[in-house]
């Protein structure tokens, strides 16, 4: 992968690029659930575990405290992944 980034980031960066291109080159008004689901699905198991652990202990965003990834809104899921 270019710039010396770890190859485990390749799929998630490609997914983010697709989301970005969807906004830049079409008239998409908002982030869609499918976008976030696709992004989450390409995370490696270590990243998924880290994400879910950080959600469990998050006290900065009280609206997600104690929730699982799937219990959050699409917007909250995207913010926590990125």
């Amino acid at each position: 992968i270019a710039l010396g980034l770890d190859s485990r980031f390749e799929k998630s960066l490609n997914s983010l690029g697709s989301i970005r291109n969807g906004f830049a080159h079409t008239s998409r008004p908002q982030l869609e659930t499918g976008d976030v689901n696709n992004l989450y699905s390409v995370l490696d198991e270590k990243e998924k575990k880290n994400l879910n652990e950080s959600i469990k202990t998050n006290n900065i965003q009280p609206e997600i405290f104690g929730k699982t990834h799937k219990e959050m809104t699409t917007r909250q899921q995207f913010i926590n992944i990125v």
Side-chain angles (χ1 to χ4, degrees), residues 13-70:
L13 289 173
N14 285 335
S15 183
L16 279 172
S18 294
I19 293 169
R20 179 255 174 224
N21 288 341
F23 283 102
H25 302 293
T26 64
S27 59
R28 290 178 52 175
Q30 64 186 20
L31 187 65
E32 297 177 5
T33 302
D35 296 325
V36 177
N37 289 342
N38 290 337
L39 179 57
Y40 184 80
S41 73
V42 299
L43 296 176
D44 68 19
E45 291 307 311
K46 181 179 178 181
E47 293 302 320
K48 287 178 183 176
K49 181 180 177 185
N50 289 340
L51 175 67
N52 286 307
E53 288 299 317
S54 69
I55 292 167
K56 287 179 187 176
T57 59
N58 184 323
N59 59 4
I60 296 171
Q61 296 175 306
E63 67 275 11
I64 68 165
F65 184 74
K67 290 185 179 180
T68 65
H69 176 77
K70 292 184 181 218

